[in-house]
Amino acid sequence: MQTYNMIKRLLDFLNASPVNFLAAKNIATYLEQAGYRRFDPQMPIGEVKAGDKLYVTKNDSSVYAFHIGLKSLAEAGFRMICAHCDSPTFRIKPNAEMTCEGGIVKLNTEVYGGPIMSTWFDRPLTIAGRVIVRSEDALSPRTLLLHVKRPLLQISNLAIHFNRQVNDGVKLSKQKDMLPILGIVTSEMERGNLLMNIICKELNIQQKEILDFDLYLADATPACTFGVHDEFLSSGRLDDLSMCFAGLEAMIATETTDITKVLAIFDNEETGSQTKQGAGSPFLSMMLKRIALAQSGTEEAWYQAVERAFMISADNAHAWHPNYSEKYDPTNHPVLGRGPVIKFNAAQKYASDAVSAAVFAEICREAGVPCQRFVNHSDVAGGSTLGNILASSIPLRGVDMGNAILAMHSCRETGSTADHIYTVKAFTKFFE
């Protein structure tokens, strides 16, 4: 029953978090329910006491939580799990509606990140994100979150009769092929207003109140398990919401210890992390430095804390695919269900080295969890993640790891229920 409940919580979180803004909001809600207090970074941080639970957000799309330890940061350092809440998708452009023959309306979109575009065809989609609304202060408009909880759009394939080579591989145009159908205009009043009408109805506002929006496409089909034993997870955004939620579960499950615990959920990893809410921003280091200064009053405390800290950069890894074994390293290819994966790269795209890998492997052993190792096939270029980007602003010891998944960056990815449970156990042991 405990295992079932843990997976159900993950599925519920995935379904409620179709985009970064909703994921950040839901993480903040979980934190508040666990006794964390929201901190306004515009205000002085004030006194920081052992056992305090604080969190702060940036841009409505990144979340940073701090559980203050019994010892100061200078004395004991901090332990941090970081992940990212954005995933590859399609952003709706301004002036998006394009009315075609027969009154059919499609939306003009642009690619966010690096999706497997063909996986977005012929499936029910919806829209989610944030809408910016006029307020009395021009510099502080209101933000409303939007999640249309029904199938609303679809990107339809061209019939095979008009494209006989479709099964041989077709180059897709981001501007031509990937535009979703929204509906059919039934009156002149609707022309150019279909999208705005949906937004206004969902949020119960008037069109004249809307200043702008950040809206994205999302799969409308719920996350689920599958397999003979329900051993697999199927969902969009497993990369990297599954790691966000595993870190969150461990954070709220552990009591106050000597060491300060940190959960950092960044945005914009899929586009390089170089934003104020991304891992390349100094925002997190500024917050931690403020805490260290509040505890001790000296800047030296911050530098001591960094030297005593350890980071787990949690971002999913590539699982061995039974149909494409030639794409994987012959001796380091993790499989589904065999535990979290430590990631290595000789070009330093990952933060892992022999020391940090040994630390994480020992944490897994103490938690009773198996772990695996991933290295790219030497002829296949790999991606990068949060660890080294964050380490460029905070020189932390750290390891890059994640759960193995199939079809990374697909509209729906595949993971393992056992791996999620293993990782929550390992993260909990790390924070204990």
Side-chain angles (χ1 to χ4, degrees), residues 50 105 143 219 246:
V105 175
T143 297
D219 184 11

Side-chain angles (χ1 to χ4, degrees), residues 132-354:
I132 310 304
V133 178
R134 180 174 286 108
S135 73
E136 295 180 359
D137 181 359
L139 290 179
S140 302
R142 288 193 300 142
T143 297
L144 302 177
L145 298 185
L146 176 69
H147 180 193
V148 180
K149 296 181 180 179
R150 67 179 179 91
L152 190 63
L153 315 98
Q154 184 166 292
I155 304 171
S156 292
N157 252 306
L158 182 64
I160 194 171
H161 310 78
F162 301 127
N163 187 7
R164 296 290 183 179
Q165 290 75 45
V166 66
N167 292 324
D168 298 326
V170 173
K171 182 175 177 58
L172 296 172
S173 165
K174 297 172 185 177
Q175 184 62 67
K176 176 180 174 59
D177 298 313
M178 306 309 299
L179 304 186
I181 297 170
L182 176 63
I184 298 176
V185 171
T186 58
S187 70
E188 197 58 34
M189 294 269 303
E190 286 187 331
R191 187 176 296 273
N193 290 309
L194 279 189
L195 178 61
M196 283 298 182
N197 289 347
I198 293 164
I199 295 170
C200 291
K201 182 179 179 181
E202 289 286 327
L203 298 178
N204 193 27
I205 58 176
Q206 296 182 13
Q207 187 168 334
K208 64 183 181 181
E209 298 177 69
I210 298 173
L211 298 175
D212 215 325
F213 56 71
D214 291 313
L215 294 177
Y216 299 85
L217 305 188
D219 184 11
T221 306
C224 65
T225 58
F226 73 99
V228 173
H229 309 291
D230 280 323
E231 61 265 58
F232 301 118
L233 293 164
S234 174
S235 175
R237 309 173 305 283
L238 287 177
D239 175 27
D240 192 33
L241 289 187
S242 60
M243 293 291 95
C244 293
F245 197 66
L248 176 66
E249 292 253 272
M251 187 77 168
I252 63 181
T254 49
E255 302 297 327
T256 304
T257 64
D258 285 347
I259 298 170
T260 293
K261 299 188 285 275
V262 181
L263 178 68
I265 306 299
F266 296 105
D267 191 13
N268 303 132
E269 189 275 343
E270 299 294 354
T271 55
S273 296
Q274 301 304 312
T275 61
K276 62 186 178 299
Q277 59 274 0
S281 167
F283 182 75
L284 175 60
S285 62
M286 289 164 56
M287 285 301 304
L288 286 165
K289 188 174 183 178
R290 289 171 73 176
I291 292 171
L293 286 169
Q295 289 178 327
S296 69
T298 67
E299 192 168 309
E300 184 66 26
W302 163 236
Y303 301 114
Q304 290 177 286
V306 170
E307 293 304 312
R308 293 187 168 100
F310 193 89
M311 166 191 67
I312 295 177
S313 169
D315 198 357
N316 283 305
H318 296 293
W320 178 80
H321 195 304
N323 294 344
Y324 302 98
S325 59
E326 72 279 4
K327 294 291 185 181
Y328 298 84
D329 182 78
T331 61
N332 297 281
H333 47 264
V335 297
L336 293 170
R338 299 289 181 85
V341 179
I342 303 170
K343 301 191 290 187
F344 296 90
N345 183 270
Q348 304 302 303
K349 290 186 177 181
Y350 301 134
S352 310
D353 56 26

Side-chain angles (χ1 to χ4, degrees), residues 69-91:
L70 297 172
K71 295 183 178 180
S72 70
L73 285 176
E75 292 178 281
F78 55 91
R79 294 183 184 178
M80 177 166 63
I81 294 173
C82 58
H84 66 90
C85 61
D86 64 318
S87 300
T89 180
F90 296 84
R91 185 180 188 273

